[in-house]
Amino acid sequence: MRRVLVPGLLALSLSGCGLSTNSLTAGFADSGQPSSSLPPSRVASNDNPSAPPRKADDRAPKGTYEKAPSGALSDRDYTQTALDPEKARDVINGYRKQHGLKPLRLNTALTEAAKAHSRDLAKWDRISHFGSDGSNPWDRVKRAGFNAKVAAENVGTGQVSIEEVLKGWQTSPGHNKNLLLAEADQMGIALVQDPKTEFKTFWTLVVGSSN
């Protein structure tokens, strides 16, 4: 059975237009219920390989993404922000070990899927599980050449460090479920920074296992 789990992560409250030290989630967890008071985001599914191709534009249905208010993160210091994939893997595996789960290993295809989505989010300065071409996480891991049995995606915007984004994921039920996905044995993680955007940083984690 193929499954894809796709909660997202925001670093600020869009409803209050102010920075929050506790990251809020936007998107749907596995239950299909919104995981915060933010306007609910929808996630498209398209596991049908014979379906018509998506158009390469930014016309995802209304309500499928969030944008940051102007200047909302302008007072944060991103000069030391960086991603060490091996460190991120080790931190995530340490967390999984605490829960008796097998470690994840870095996978090139999942890393490429994560990078592509972070670049796309940065290009349009938004947070979403839709790509600008309408793709969903399942589409993107397939496109990267990963023959997934199960796949899950967490995204985050605005966080300064891997520690901050992981803390947000751990304290959000939907994201935490993905971090602790028992079937997963591989992962890819990416960070794209763009100081010209309102969100500044765009993090994507993809975990999964292959057939």
Side-chain angles (χ1 to χ4, degrees):
M1 177 181 178
R2 294 179 175 179
R3 295 190 294 120
V4 58
L5 310 176
V6 286
L9 182 69
L10 278 172
L12 65 158
S13 168
L14 299 183
S15 57
C17 297
L19 183 66
S20 170
T21 55
N22 295 318
S23 298
L24 299 178
T25 56
F28 282 82
D30 194 33
S31 64
Q33 296 298 316
S35 50
S36 81
S37 60
L38 293 176
S41 300
R42 296 187 300 275
V43 177
S45 295
N46 182 12
D47 291 345
N48 181 1
S50 64
R54 318 266 190 173
K55 292 184 178 180
D57 57 24
D58 190 46
R59 296 179 183 175
K62 183 179 179 181
T64 62
Y65 64 88
E66 304 293 346
K67 296 183 75 69
S70 179
L73 296 172
S74 59
D75 61 343
R76 304 202 82 191
D77 181 5
Y78 293 94
T79 57
Q80 302 300 313
T81 301
L83 173 64
D84 179 337
E86 287 77 19
K87 176 183 176 183
R89 175 204 59 202
D90 292 346
V91 173
I92 291 170
N93 282 341
Y95 183 59
R96 287 172 61 87
K97 185 176 181 180
Q98 293 173 22
H99 292 80
L101 297 173
K102 61 190 173 190
L104 307 176
R105 63 182 185 277
L106 289 170
N107 175 275
T108 302
L110 293 183
T111 297
E112 287 305 310
K115 286 180 179 178
H117 192 49
S118 284
R119 291 189 194 108
D120 190 59
L121 294 179
K123 177 180 178 180
W124 298 100
D125 197 7
R126 66 179 193 169
I127 182 170
S128 179
H129 290 293
F130 275 111
S132 62
D133 61 355
S135 63
N136 62 46
W138 190 263
D139 297 327
R140 291 189 291 273
V141 298
K142 287 173 63 180
R143 186 183 298 163
F146 188 80
N147 185 22
K149 179 168 59 179
V150 62
E153 178 183 87
N154 285 355
V155 293
T157 52
Q159 292 83 6
V160 171
S161 65
I162 186 64
E163 290 80 11
E164 184 182 5
V165 73
L166 286 176
K167 181 178 180 181
W169 287 337
Q170 289 169 359
T171 56
S172 165
H175 303 88
N176 192 55
K177 185 174 183 178
N178 287 349
L179 290 174
L180 301 178
L181 190 62
E183 301 98 312
D185 56 16
Q186 299 169 75
M187 64 171 277
I189 191 165
L191 164 67
V192 170
Q193 294 178 254
D194 188 343
K196 299 186 298 296
T197 64
E198 296 295 343
F199 273 133
K200 311 301 182 187
T201 60
F202 302 83
W203 305 80
T204 303
L205 169 70
V206 184
V207 301
S209 62
S210 58
N211 286 310

